[in-house]
Amino acid sequence: MSDSNRDVKGRSGQKRQARTATKKESAGLDMTTLVGIGVVVIVAAIGISLAMGLFDSNTSAANAVQETADATVDGAALPGFDSAANPAADAAQGLAAPNVSGQDFAGDDVDLLVEGEANILVFLAHWCPHCQAELPLLVDEWSDGLPDGVNATAVVTSQDPNQNNYPPSSWLARDGWDFPVILDDESNSIAGAYGLSSYPYFVVVDADGNVAARTSGELGRDQIQALLDVATGSVDGSTVEGSTEQSSADPAAE
């Protein structure tokens, strides 16, 4: 008996006759099936592409870096600092330092001053060659950390994408600055509130929130240590010196 005519048993035991596959069936998948599979593959590919795009978008948003941010100044502005005068004769010594709330590169909220503790404020401009020379020295000097009750914050100001060494976020990361950062706004409101006239610029605020010392210029190790001594209260602001190696507050003048 040929395969096409033999009897086979069904699930219930009854006999049924095996049939011979047609030419269409033996040829494999028909055109309709192939088209359907193609549609499914295309839809799946579109879905994966959209999902990856959403993932990339969310990742970019999470890793977004800003170079300027809004800043809110609370308190009276300090008188302008005379970089050519003796820092010991600074008229701002003893005045209440304005507090500032703003953000860092990651968009996290930052207060410029830590209440009840001393603060060393380092004003930096990315295009300033003396700031570029000073930053690694500060990082090295403070690599072991600061004394208890003393904080250091970089005030990144005068940002300009048309000037060199931009963006400042990459610069500070490259030089290993691990202390807090607060971004000035496009009007340089923080710099103005603290009387900045040149870069780099340093302000020491004591634990009572008053200005203990201000100075400017590219400082050496002894001068950096003097700022720290003022912050800890071991000496007064009359010991602080400045440097003639400084950059004008106007990047066009550099």
Side-chain angles (χ1 to χ4, degrees):
M1 180 183 295
S2 68
D3 289 343
S4 61
N5 294 322
R6 66 181 177 86
D7 291 334
V8 297
K9 287 189 177 181
R11 183 173 300 174
S12 60
Q14 73 272 23
K15 291 182 178 180
R16 58 184 176 83
Q17 190 175 59
R19 62 186 180 84
T20 303
T22 65
K23 181 177 181 181
K24 181 179 180 180
E25 290 172 329
S26 63
L29 299 175
D30 60 21
M31 184 59 67
T32 301
T33 303
L34 290 173
V35 170
I37 292 174
V39 170
V40 171
V41 171
I42 292 172
V43 170
I46 293 173
I48 292 172
S49 177
L50 291 174
M52 290 301 294
L54 181 60
F55 174 79
D56 289 342
S57 176
N58 290 338
T59 301
S60 298
N63 295 331
V65 175
Q66 59 182 1
E67 306 298 336
T68 61
D70 292 338
T72 302
V73 178
D74 182 16
L78 299 175
F81 179 71
D82 184 357
S83 60
N86 185 349
D90 183 10
Q93 286 190 24
L95 297 182
N99 200 0
V100 178
S101 56
Q103 293 184 334
D104 60 16
F105 292 121
D108 295 328
D109 293 337
V110 179
D111 287 328
L112 179 62
L113 303 177
V114 178
E115 187 176 355
E117 297 186 357
N119 298 270
I120 302 175
L121 312 179
V122 183
F123 289 76
L124 301 168
H126 62 87
W127 45 263
C128 160
H130 300 292
C131 298
Q132 295 169 30
E134 187 79 355
L135 185 57
L137 186 58
L138 292 170
V139 170
D140 184 59
E141 281 291 299
W142 297 340
S143 60
D144 293 332
L146 297 172
D148 291 341
V150 177
N151 306 279
T153 300
V155 183
V156 177
T157 183
S158 193
Q159 301 91 320
D160 186 347
N162 296 316
Q163 298 296 328
N164 69 77
N165 199 35
Y166 188 88
S169 59
S170 297
W171 168 43
L172 267 66
R174 184 173 64 248
D175 279 3
W177 180 264
D178 288 332
F179 298 99
V181 172
I182 190 168
L183 302 178
D184 212 345
D185 58 23
E186 294 181 355
S187 299
N188 299 326
S189 298
I190 307 177
Y194 274 81
L196 179 149
S197 60
S198 59
Y199 294 101
Y201 181 57
F202 303 85
V203 182
V204 180
V205 180
D206 64 24
D208 295 323
N210 300 320
V211 176
R214 296 192 300 179
T215 191
S216 64
E218 186 179 328
L219 305 184
R221 294 183 185 275
D222 290 343
Q223 293 164 304
I224 294 172
Q225 183 60 47
L227 292 177
L228 191 58
D229 291 340
V230 172
T232 59
S234 58
V235 298
D236 61 35
S238 64
T239 61
V240 173
E241 299 178 354
S243 169
T244 57
E245 297 182 64
Q246 53 190 261
S247 297
S248 166
D250 180 8
E254 292 301 311

